Amino acid sequence: MSAPVMLITGGSRGIGAVTATRAAEAGYAVCISYASNAEAAASVVADCEAAGATAQAVQADVAVEAEVIGLFKAASQMGDISAVIINAGVLEPMQRLDQFSFDRVSRIMAVNVTGAIMCAREAVKAMSTRNGGAGGAIVNVSSAASYLGSPNEFIDYAASKGAMDTMTIGLAKEVADEGIRVNAVRPGLIYTDIHSDAGDPNRVDRLAENVPMKRGGQAIEVADAILWLASDQASYVSGTLLNVSGGR
Ligand code: NAP
């Protein structure tokens, strides 16, 4: 029997990349998607294979419907999809809301909201017992921004993660008796490349003083929460928004 497949969107770098290697170590076959960084994606695939797993990387922009459909098709060819980690997300440079352009807000919403919902749609099609699937787990990678609001930084991004939280709550109820659990993690300040996209590579260290634990988090600390929510150890957990934010 082939290993259960974990599909991770945005698995080439940061939280998604570490989640992929942890999934490989846990016995999943791993399918990661990436936007453009093929080299980073290939390196994650090599790490998963070194851990003994089958792995593949698929270039797929989650904001393009046909590419999302193609991603799920490629993952399903590896075996039964049993866990989907909706992790791909983008930030834009820090600005006040009164400076936001239409294009900026549209891009954030297309990737973080529409893309996430399209991935969730394909996950339900693949895993719901109602559709002939064997059940599984969806873990959404939201953000502490959803409850902090991110004033003077990126209220649009924070609002996109608020939408993801609401999607988590609603979808968890919608598919609870179809064998699918739906949960979210809400990371705080985690050391990844995403802060460079916001225009401040040192953002985590700059703001760490505001975290009750007085430090930023590592991607592995988020990945392990994701792996737990996806696992059978969390078999009675659905609709939960798990803060992974150093007490913030
Ligand atoms: P990251 O290091 O910047 O990595 C982003 C990943 O997403 C990369 O694999 C990237 O692919 C992929 N990606 C970007 N746009 C995409 C698109 N349109 N379609 C498909 N894939 C796309 O980010 P991260 O910090 O690990 O963030 C992962 C998730 O955690 C995001 O949803 C983010 O909002 C959330 N989060 C992060 C933090 C934090 O402090 N780091 C805190 C809270 C929440 P390429 O390599 O090809 O560019």
Side-chain angles (χ1 to χ4, degrees):
M1 212 176 79
S2 55
V5 176
M6 179 177 282
L7 189 165
I8 304 162
T9 67
S12 49
R13 292 183 291 121
I15 293 166
V18 180
T19 303
T21 52
R22 295 299 266 182
E25 289 162 7
Y28 289 96
V30 179
C31 180
I32 62 165
S33 76
Y34 64 99
S36 60
N37 198 331
E39 203 175 322
S43 162
V44 173
V45 167
D47 288 346
C48 292
E49 289 173 345
T54 306
Q56 73 165 327
V58 178
Q59 192 283 323
D61 184 340
V62 297
V64 177
E65 184 180 21
E67 296 186 15
V68 172
I69 292 169
L71 168 65
F72 277 77
K73 193 171 175 200
S76 67
Q77 283 160 3
M78 300 173 78
D80 286 340
I81 299 174
S82 74
V84 175
I85 316 305
I86 301 178
N87 167 73
V90 289
L91 266 183
E92 294 281 338
M94 290 180 275
Q95 281 181 337
R96 283 173 50 89
L97 183 146
D98 56 10
Q99 301 299 309
F100 289 173
S101 70
F102 181 86
D103 285 352
R104 169 202 164 105
V105 178
S106 300
R107 174 77 185 148
I108 287 178
M109 295 300 164
V111 175
N112 296 5
V113 182
T114 309
I117 294 174
M118 289 300 100
C119 289
R121 182 189 74 186
E122 294 307 305
V124 171
K125 283 186 184 171
M127 298 192 298
S128 169
T129 53
R130 194 163 181 254
N131 300 328
I138 296 171
V139 182
N140 291 322
V141 182
S142 174
S143 173
S146 73
Y147 56 85
L148 295 170
S150 306
N152 302 304
E153 289 194 319
F154 23 69
I155 291 174
D156 45 4
Y157 169 84
S160 76
K161 296 301 188 177
M164 190 176 227
D165 288 356
T166 304
M167 185 265 273
T168 304
I169 292 165
L171 185 59
K173 292 173 180 165
E174 192 161 291
V175 297
D177 65 352
E178 298 172 24
I180 304 178
R181 296 180 301 101
V182 186
N183 293 289
V185 291
R186 299 197 292 192
L189 291 163
I190 310 299
Y191 289 98
T192 73
D193 297 343
I194 205 168
H195 307 287
S196 300
D197 300 340
D200 182 3
N202 296 319
R203 185 168 168 267
V204 175
D205 287 333
R206 180 170 59 80
L207 298 174
E209 189 61 26
N210 302 329
V211 178
M213 287 188 190
K214 306 291 182 204
R215 69 168 179 88
Q218 300 296 335
I220 196 168
E221 297 179 286
V222 183
D224 282 345
I226 292 170
L227 263 288
W228 176 71
L229 285 170
S231 78
D232 288 343
Q233 287 178 316
S235 54
Y236 203 51
V237 181
S238 197
T240 291
L241 310 172
L242 180 61
N243 299 344
V244 187
S245 55
R248 199 170 183 211

